[in-house]
Amino acid sequence: MAMIDYEGLGNCDSKKIRIVFMGTPSFAVPILEGLIHNYQVVMVVCQPDKKKDRKGKIVIPDTKRVALEHGIEVFQPVRLRADYQKILDLNPDMIVTCAYGQMIPDEILSYPKYGCINVHGSLLPKLRGGAPIHWAIINGCKETGMTIMKMSSKMDAGDIIHQRSLEIGEDEILDSLYQRMSILGRDLLLETIPSILDGTAKYFPQDEESVTFGFNITREDEKICFEKTGMEIFNLVRGLNSVPGAYCFLDGKRMKIYEVKIVSGNQFSRGKLGEIVAVDKDGMIVCCADGFIKVLDIAMEGKRRCKVLDYFHGINSKCLIGKVLE
């Protein structure tokens, strides 16, 4: 990751403020690094290490890597509700969470002098849950944003302290929005903390009638349904690009699809939903509910990701015509 210039991001750089940070994925890294630069981060709490990858290596959380680089204690409870005393023993002034991955017990929420603050990837009360950035794109939203909120025992339901919106590009994919929102979350948090410390922060209850949800993505959510419109498929594909990736099946083998575009006009003969009706120099033309999409970027089961054009080099592309993606 490139070096980040934090100059001027925080209005308060007191190293006397003891913060426990709770977060796991790469999305939380800029937020953690911003806190380390401005405050005294005494512990990083994250999910346990994952099992070995294909090369036989244990995969550690991105936030753990950053913590170890800075000599900060790391705590990885399997079940936080049953194992949290280490956090309280550090007597933190504030706890900051971002994409941690477990519910926080009331014993932790009520402990710090300045409270438990969450950095959430949506404009609450919209898209409460673990995958708000994915769903903002999948749902075709034109705008999303970051929220700094006081945590409560109910998921993402605490009072809002600060929010900032962010426009979603028409063709923007998950990876791009993920990175931009992470930086926005860092900046917004560092702008907000001083007001919490000096008592000038204002807290606004969420409108429960406006609540929507962005729950964690399931395997079923990832599957492309060709009964949907081209725009719905386009949004699904870019909302899952690159991880976990949208998928369908071709000849019984899983095919992940990372890029499609909507094909306008009536130059192609109508076929079954999901049927490949044509192949040109850079993609497969596939029937959907209201027309056609062109599939441009794929990864066949057990193979590396590649452009459809490169995939064609190893097969007779004409053999694909008439086959149905399911």
Side-chain angles (χ1 to χ4, degrees):
M1 179 180 292
M3 291 294 292
I4 300 171
D5 181 7
Y6 296 99
E7 189 66 31
L9 288 178
N11 296 323
C12 174
D13 61 353
S14 174
K15 291 293 183 175
K16 295 180 180 179
I17 303 300
R18 295 167 57 82
I19 293 179
V20 167
F21 179 79
M22 306 178 70
T24 301
S26 60
F27 182 78
V29 166
I31 290 93
L32 171 58
E33 291 177 329
L35 290 173
I36 291 171
H37 184 81
N38 287 279
Y39 301 97
Q40 183 184 173
V41 178
V42 295
M43 175 182 279
V44 170
V45 184
C46 58
Q47 293 281 60
D49 298 346
K50 293 183 179 180
K51 295 181 180 180
K52 295 180 179 180
D53 61 13
R54 293 181 179 179
K55 296 182 179 179
K57 296 181 179 180
I58 297 294
V59 179
I60 70 171
D62 292 296
T63 51
K64 178 179 180 178
R65 172 185 51 79
V66 173
L68 295 176
E69 289 173 356
H70 288 85
I72 298 171
E73 181 180 357
V74 176
F75 181 39
Q76 298 175 273
V78 174
R79 187 169 177 267
L80 183 65
R81 287 186 180 276
D83 187 11
Y84 57 79
Q85 190 58 45
K86 282 186 178 182
I87 299 172
L88 304 187
D89 289 346
L90 287 171
N91 192 28
D93 297 304
M94 178 185 290
I95 293 174
V96 176
T97 71
C98 178
Y100 169 54
Q102 295 191 48
M103 293 297 291
I104 312 298
D106 289 342
E107 291 83 354
I108 293 178
L109 295 178
S110 61
Y111 187 85
K113 176 181 178 180
Y114 296 106
C116 289
I117 308 302
N118 183 43
V119 183
H120 183 76
S122 79
L123 295 174
L124 292 171
K126 303 296 184 183
L127 296 176
R128 291 179 183 176
I133 305 176
H134 297 74
W135 286 108
I137 298 177
I138 293 170
N139 292 343
C141 298
K142 305 299 182 183
E143 179 185 74
T144 185
M146 296 297 298
T147 298
I148 309 299
M149 56 169 283
K150 182 178 180 180
M151 294 194 70
S152 69
S153 56
K154 187 178 178 181
M155 182 184 68
D156 298 331
D159 291 347
I160 294 169
I161 308 172
H162 203 173
Q163 289 185 316
R164 185 161 296 153
S165 62
L166 188 68
E167 183 178 345
I168 302 174
E170 290 185 2
D171 298 323
E172 188 161 23
I173 65 172
L174 175 66
D175 288 355
S176 168
L177 186 59
Y178 191 89
Q179 293 174 11
R180 293 200 298 131
M181 290 184 68
S182 181
I183 299 302
L184 176 61
R186 176 201 68 192
D187 296 355
L188 193 62
L189 176 67
L190 294 178
E191 289 177 19
T192 304
I193 288 179
S195 67
I196 297 172
L197 298 179
D198 66 20
T200 61
K202 296 181 179 180
Y203 298 79
F204 302 92
Q206 296 186 39
D207 178 7
E208 291 295 325
E209 294 185 359
S210 300
V211 171
T212 62
F213 293 95
F215 293 123
N216 288 337
I217 300 292
T218 67
R219 182 56 62 90
E220 188 59 31
D221 293 327
E222 299 165 19
K223 193 173 188 302
I224 298 172
C225 174
F226 292 94
E227 294 179 356
K228 293 188 175 182
T229 66
M231 182 58 71
E232 288 174 316
I233 295 172
F234 172 73
N235 289 338
L236 176 68
V237 169
R238 66 192 183 96
L240 299 177
N241 186 357
S242 61
V243 177
Y247 74 91
C248 59
F249 290 94
L250 173 62
D251 291 336
K253 293 184 178 181
R254 187 183 302 273
M255 179 173 72
K256 288 204 171 187
I257 296 179
Y258 296 99
E259 184 182 2
V260 302
K261 68 178 182 180
I262 299 170
V263 178
S264 59
N266 56 1
Q267 65 268 42
F268 302 107
S269 299
R270 192 72 187 155
K272 300 177 183 177
L273 292 175
E275 183 177 348
I276 301 170
V277 297
V279 176
D280 64 18
K281 63 180 182 179
D282 59 358
M284 299 179 289
I285 312 301
V286 182
C287 286
C288 59
D290 63 345
F292 304 92
I293 59 168
K294 179 182 285 190
V295 178
L296 302 168
D297 194 346
I298 63 173
M300 293 302 299
E301 187 174 324
K303 303 293 184 180
R304 292 183 178 182
R305 177 176 171 176
C306 67
K307 295 294 184 181
V308 169
L309 177 62
D310 296 327
Y311 177 67
F312 287 164
H313 288 165
I315 64 171
N316 180 354
S317 60
K318 292 182 180 179
C319 293
L320 294 171
I321 298 175
K323 292 188 175 183
V324 177
L325 304 182
E326 299 176 335

